[in-house]
Amino acid sequence: MDLVDLVEEKRFIGQEFLTWLWWRSEERGGSVEIPEYGDIIVAFEKHMLLEYGEGESAEKLICSGLKAELQEARTGLQVGKKLEQARIRIVKNDHEYNFTLAAGLMEFRNVRLPKTAGTESEESGNREEVEGMILERLFLYEDLVQTVNALFRQFLERRTSDEWSSELDKVRTWVVDNRHIVS
């Protein structure tokens, strides 16, 4: 089996992760606990891409709009479509990250890092200030990746545990339960 086939065969893990994370984000009103960091805010926003089928018969459904309008995405899950990418906002401490996560390769797209005094200062041309700004941006990006990795690790630990079937039942109930959606 070559790498492309392996990636294609295992892409369901990223799709399950995105669905699980969406459920987790709504389970406690946006607050998700990560043992290493405590509570963070995770919100799915504005844009989701769902897929159904394989190869040439694959269908894609793009859902966009306000959080309350993501009912179409939930309906897609109900009929067997898989969450392939989503726009996510994470708030951790005083930092807000916005990005799109593509499930197949766990690829970060359209990343918007937090604004800080160091990253938003006017360029003075001072080499040390520019280097400091670059290092701060690198730190913020690494912080985002580590946070998503911690969430993914939490998912994998649950996915491979004996409690997965009861957690999966909760996710399935959430998918079909429309009462918490604001009309």
Side-chain angles (χ1 to χ4, degrees), residues 29-45:
S31 180
V32 175
E33 182 182 358
I34 303 176
E36 303 92 72
Y37 304 114
D39 282 349
I40 64 169
I41 302 297
V42 178
F44 280 64
E45 300 183 327

Side-chain angles (χ1 to χ4, degrees), residues 168-180:
L168 184 57
D169 288 340
K170 292 176 188 175
V171 174
R172 287 179 175 148
T173 300
W174 167 81
V175 166
V176 298
D177 185 8
N178 294 320
R179 289 176 289 157
H180 64 281

Side-chain angles (χ1 to χ4, degrees), residues 142-159:
E142 184 177 333
D143 185 48
L144 170 62
V145 171
Q146 287 177 351
T147 302
V148 172
N149 283 346
L151 289 164
F152 188 59
R153 183 172 34 262
Q154 189 177 45
F155 164 73
L156 289 176
E157 287 170 358
R158 292 188 180 181
R159 178 71 171 81

